[in-house]
Amino acid sequence: MYKLALAALAAAALSLTACNPPPEQNGQSGADAAAEPRTAPVLASEDARDIHSYARPEIARVKHVALNLGTNFRDKRLEGYATLDLETQSDGDEIILDSKGLEIEDIVNPQGQKLQWQMGKADPILGSPLTVKLGGAKQIRIKYKSAPQSGALQWLDPAQTAGKKRPFLFSQGEAILNRSWIPTQDSPGIRQTWDARIVVPQDLRAVMSGEDLTPEGEAAPGGKAYRFRMDKPVAPYLIALAVGDLKFQSLGPRTGVYAEPSMLKAAANELTDTEKMVETAEKLYGPYRWGRYDMIVLPPSFPFGGMENPRLTFLTPTMIAGDRSLVSLIAHELAHSWSGNLVTNATWSDFWLNEGFTSYFENRIMESLYGRDRAVMEQALAWEDLGKEIQGLDGGMSSPASRLHIDLAGKDPDEGMSGVPYDKGAAFLRLIEAKVGRERFDAYLRSYFDRFAFQPMTTNVFLADLRKNLIKGDQALEGSLKIDEWVFRPGIPDNAIAPQSPRFARVDQAAQRFAAAGTAPESLGFADWVTAERVRFLNALPRSLPAERLADLDRALGLSNTGNSEILFAWLRLAIANRYDPAVPAIDRFLTSMGRRKFAAPLYEDLVAQGAWGRPIAQRIYAKARPTYHSVTSGSVDKLLNGGG
Ligand code: BES
Ligand code: ZN
């Protein structure tokens, strides 16, 4: 059904792009017009084609995945069965699945007869196509095991957990990692319902991104079984599993948090506002459609701040600051329940539709709950980071990586993950909001989520919809937005509205006073500032401070010992830029105690950039830390430390 809707919209996109030719056709000049990709879809299927999946959904597609898996902690493998319900076209008698490192034992039809299958050549990024001859079967059962090095899964030793006594397992599916534990069509445009039965050791609990049918577990040979169900079709990257010594605490009628017992109280305290956040989000963009919104605080090696797994956001413990100052992360993951999980990027080139919309929505939730000041400060921090990040790209403001719609041919989607889809995306939506007015834009966004609920979305289909339902032929508005420049061209268009925070203006003055006039750190006002102001202050200090001044700062403000990960991160970056030796133990502690890529990768990169001083420090710390990191983080840091610098 969604396929039809998408085709109709893409047709609309086609006719629209016919009157609004893409930039290279209407002669608009750009920094690198020659390298400009075609922006108009040639065919509906071209626009939505996912180059990161082997699937051919037009021939045969997976509708439902039923997992029945055991967790083998000794061998670090998930082992068991995936039963797939298929929809096939009359002329198609084979299905192509995605797989990476899976060991397939056999594949049978509902009568138990073995089917022919073939594992194609392994691509280092995509893995292998798994082609199954169906013989008319509409359901197949695959007996398989995941590899111990499965990219999605991290198997933690007890020492890597808060409790130190029991092992832990979690999965991370986005972008294309789930094919390393689930043999299905791993493409965000191929939505699937799913259910699962997971057998775990007696003393552990399994949780998943679906309805929990057995909170207490059921007796099963060799342990306990937990069953789950997701009856709404979701992109397969959103199927997620965690297994550990977990306890649950309710936070509100439809919200709660799972964590290891020793973390539960701090986690629940940090997340107290979650129920209010869900209500706030609903007021903005319509009903929350997933039933419950729970969260799980994972061990510190979780490579992201958060991951928007439906009904169960996965979280880093580094978001626990003690004062709820980092909860924009929750606003962000919650917002994905609309932008991302309901309306989903059709391909990874459309990733900004997930993250840009979500970053915009996140900030609207923050503004509603905590006021405009805080929201604008958070915008301004992101804006500053975005500018620096684009400047640092190869080619700077004309780097193709600074486009919203990106070309990922031959690349891992992970390479497209920068601040650009998030913060340039959010800035684009803020610009539209400013031009049409908040009321109109909110009404449009709400209708957009309703119209495209449970469907994949391409950039061109979104732009066609925006023109049809918001711009409606208003030439002055169309001209003032510069849509094609925002979406298909590098850099930041000149109509961008830079966030202005008066509170940051004062913080910047304090930073100048401290740097130039040698003002005592105690008298700057730091103690009265919120986290965003503290981070801004540290970012605003010059990268050439004498060691005594840094020592004063650390002593007066307790930076090396702060429990706030964002402040610690900003401080350590400042310290590294100044080659400040006394901070090295704190750098070591931080990098060996958590594996969140957003913190780890820049710190290693900063160290390497300090050449003879920093590189050996990076190498020494990484030798200890690497075995504790998830593949997402070690993959990025490996590149930094081995590839030049
Ligand atoms: N969906 C992302 C995480 C992600 C992106 C995983 C791409 C894999 C590939 C998640 O919603 C996210 O953006 N997390 C951010 C936090 C956010 C507040 C910017 C993070 O992890 O830092
Ligand atoms: Zn996100």
Side-chain angles (χ1 to χ4, degrees):
M1 194 187 75
Y2 79 86
K3 230 160 92 184
L4 277 179
L6 191 65
L9 256 140
L14 261 179
S15 59
L16 249 150
T17 33
C19 6
N20 294 293
E24 77 273 22
Q25 287 174 15
N26 65 11
Q28 207 177 307
S29 71
D32 63 349
E36 205 62 28
R38 285 193 62 83
T39 54
V42 179
L43 294 167
S45 58
E46 229 4 59
D47 186 36
R49 212 180 84 81
D50 177 9
I51 59 170
H52 294 105
S53 169
Y54 290 107
R56 304 269 316 271
E58 67 284 4
I59 298 173
R61 51 160 282 161
V62 175
K63 297 289 289 180
H64 182 85
V65 180
L67 299 171
N68 188 355
L69 298 171
T71 48
N72 182 338
F73 278 87
R74 194 199 56 205
D75 297 346
K76 301 190 191 307
R77 288 180 193 273
L78 293 173
E79 330 180 304
Y81 301 89
T83 304
L84 309 180
D85 292 346
L86 313 176
E87 186 178 83
T88 55
Q89 295 309 315
S90 50
D91 54 341
D93 197 44
E94 63 176 39
I95 186 157
I96 309 178
L97 307 173
D98 293 295
S99 73
K100 200 170 187 185
L102 300 180
E103 292 175 24
I104 309 293
E105 202 167 303
D106 65 28
I107 304 181
V108 299
N109 67 14
Q111 290 73 44
Q113 293 160 328
K114 292 202 177 186
L115 299 176
Q116 274 184 41
W117 55 272
Q118 194 194 358
M119 187 68 95
K121 196 171 149 271
D123 176 274
I125 296 169
L126 303 180
S128 313
L130 171 57
T131 307
V132 187
K133 287 265 173 287
L134 297 173
K138 299 277 184 243
Q139 187 185 71
I140 59 175
R141 196 184 74 194
I142 305 171
K143 184 167 190 216
Y144 74 103
K145 291 186 174 83
S146 63
Q149 334 66 268
S150 157
L153 304 178
Q154 193 181 9
W155 300 84
L156 301 177
D157 296 332
Q160 290 174 268
T161 66
K164 313 279 179 213
K165 293 223 165 65
R166 295 181 193 148
F168 204 103
L169 164 69
F170 67 83
S171 72
Q172 165 59 40
E174 196 179 21
I176 56 168
L177 300 176
N178 264 353
R179 60 192 67 180
S180 70
W181 71 283
I182 307 173
T184 188
Q185 292 176 316
D186 188 12
S187 175
I190 309 179
R191 301 179 82 96
Q192 299 152 42
T193 54
W194 61 268
D195 65 76
R197 176 177 177 270
I198 308 288
V199 178
V200 305
Q202 192 62 44
D203 55 352
L204 300 182
R205 174 166 187 184
V207 292
M208 286 190 82
S209 53
E211 191 186 340
D212 191 343
L213 302 174
T214 52
E216 306 301 325
E218 299 169 336
K224 268 169 126 177
Y226 290 86
R227 289 185 292 111
F228 306 90
R229 176 177 66 198
M230 172 50 74
D231 56 12
K232 300 178 172 58
V234 294
Y237 72 84
L238 293 171
I239 306 175
L241 167 70
V243 178
D245 179 15
L246 293 170
K247 291 275 172 301
F248 176 77
Q249 182 162 332
S250 171
L251 297 168
R254 50 183 170 166
T255 51
V257 59
Y258 297 87
E260 288 187 67
S262 67
M263 294 287 293
L264 191 60
K265 207 169 155 218
N269 176 56
E270 206 75 15
L271 300 169
T272 335
D273 283 352
T274 308
E275 189 76 31
K276 271 196 279 180
M277 271 194 184
V278 180
E279 288 162 9
T280 305
E282 286 186 309
K283 279 194 199 108
L284 286 167
Y285 301 127
Y288 178 75
R289 304 198 193 214
W290 304 92
R292 294 195 57 84
Y293 182 78
D294 292 323
M295 295 151 288
I296 176 172
V297 176
L298 292 156
S301 68
F302 183 60
F304 293 103
M307 178 65 215
E308 65 270 25
N309 299 129
R311 296 177 61 101
L312 184 64
T313 282
F314 281 28
L315 291 175
T316 172
T318 64
M319 64 83 47
I320 300 180
D323 60 2
R324 302 173 193 157
S325 63
L326 304 179
V327 295
S328 61
L329 179 69
I330 309 306
H332 180 95
E333 305 313 334
L334 171 65
H336 273 305
S337 306
W338 287 258
S339 42
N341 298 358
L342 207 53
V343 183
T344 309
N345 54 206
T347 76
W348 298 109
S349 291
D350 305 306
F351 183 59
W352 78 277
L353 295 179
N354 275 18
E355 298 301 343
F357 275 60
T358 294
S359 299
Y360 171 82
F361 189 172
E362 161 199 334
N363 197 255
R364 294 292 307 276
I365 296 173
M366 293 304 287
E367 180 180 330
S368 293
L369 265 180
Y370 305 109
R372 177 111 185 124
D373 266 12
R374 178 160 174 189
V376 174
M377 286 192 284
E378 292 183 357
Q379 281 175 28
L381 278 184
W383 185 250
E384 186 198 9
D385 288 347
L386 176 67
K388 284 190 199 149
E389 191 172 355
I390 298 183
Q391 292 300 350
L393 291 171
D394 200 11
M397 284 289 169
S398 43
S399 163
S402 64
R403 294 178 180 142
L404 286 179
H405 185 267
I406 46 176
D407 179 9
L408 289 170
K411 292 189 188 155
D412 191 319
D414 207 50
E415 285 186 50
M417 275 143 211
S418 70
V420 171
Y422 291 81
D423 302 318
K424 182 180 171 184
F428 176 44
L429 298 191
R430 281 201 306 270
L431 172 71
I432 304 175
E433 182 204 304
K435 296 282 185 197
V436 304
R438 184 168 272 194
E439 208 178 320
R440 247 179 93 194
F441 191 46
D442 282 354
Y444 168 73
L445 282 179
R446 193 185 161 132
S447 76
Y448 168 82
F449 290 127
D450 286 342
R451 265 176 290 124
F452 296 104
F454 301 105
Q455 291 177 48
M457 180 56 60
T458 68
T459 297
N460 280 315
V461 172
F462 162 62
L463 294 182
D465 185 74
L466 184 77
R467 287 176 163 129
K468 178 162 179 264
N469 292 304
L470 186 66
I471 299 174
K472 297 180 173 163
D474 179 339
Q475 289 303 317
L477 177 58
E478 171 79 43
S480 73
L481 289 174
K482 306 192 180 184
I483 294 176
D484 286 329
E485 202 181 317
W486 272 94
V487 176
F488 298 111
R489 292 185 175 277
I492 306 284
D494 60 11
N495 61 348
I497 304 167
Q500 301 293 345
S501 161
R503 279 168 68 172
F504 275 9
R506 283 199 298 279
V507 170
D508 290 349
Q509 284 163 11
Q512 272 170 19
R513 273 204 315 280
F514 175 78
T519 313
E522 291 83 354
S523 67
L524 293 168
F526 191 90
D528 304 320
W529 292 340
V530 299
T531 294
E533 292 169 294
R534 294 175 178 194
V535 169
R536 171 72 174 213
F537 171 74
L538 294 168
N539 289 348
L541 289 175
R543 313 276 114 169
S544 55
L545 287 170
E548 317 81 74
R549 298 256 63 207
L550 290 166
D552 275 355
L553 208 59
D554 193 9
R555 203 177 314 115
L557 311 178
L559 298 170
S560 289
N561 295 317
T562 174
N564 184 308
S565 58
E566 293 284 353
I567 295 171
L568 182 61
F569 176 64
W571 159 241
L572 296 178
R573 292 198 86 172
L574 175 70
I576 294 170
N578 285 291
R579 302 194 180 190
Y580 181 60
D581 278 306
V584 172
I587 299 168
D588 191 323
R589 245 181 290 133
F590 193 43
L591 288 173
T592 52
S593 62
M594 62 91 228
R596 183 175 174 187
R597 179 168 70 177
K598 176 187 141 173
F599 294 145
L603 289 173
Y604 285 109
E605 195 176 4
D606 289 356
L607 284 168
V608 169
Q610 293 301 328
W613 177 79
R615 184 177 261 281
I617 300 173
Q619 272 159 341
R620 177 178 61 73
I621 297 175
Y622 192 46
K624 281 189 287 182
R626 190 179 188 283
T628 69
Y629 291 167
H630 184 276
S631 72
V632 159
T633 300
S634 57
S636 296
V637 181
D638 282 352
K639 275 190 214 136
L640 288 169
L641 286 182
N642 304 326

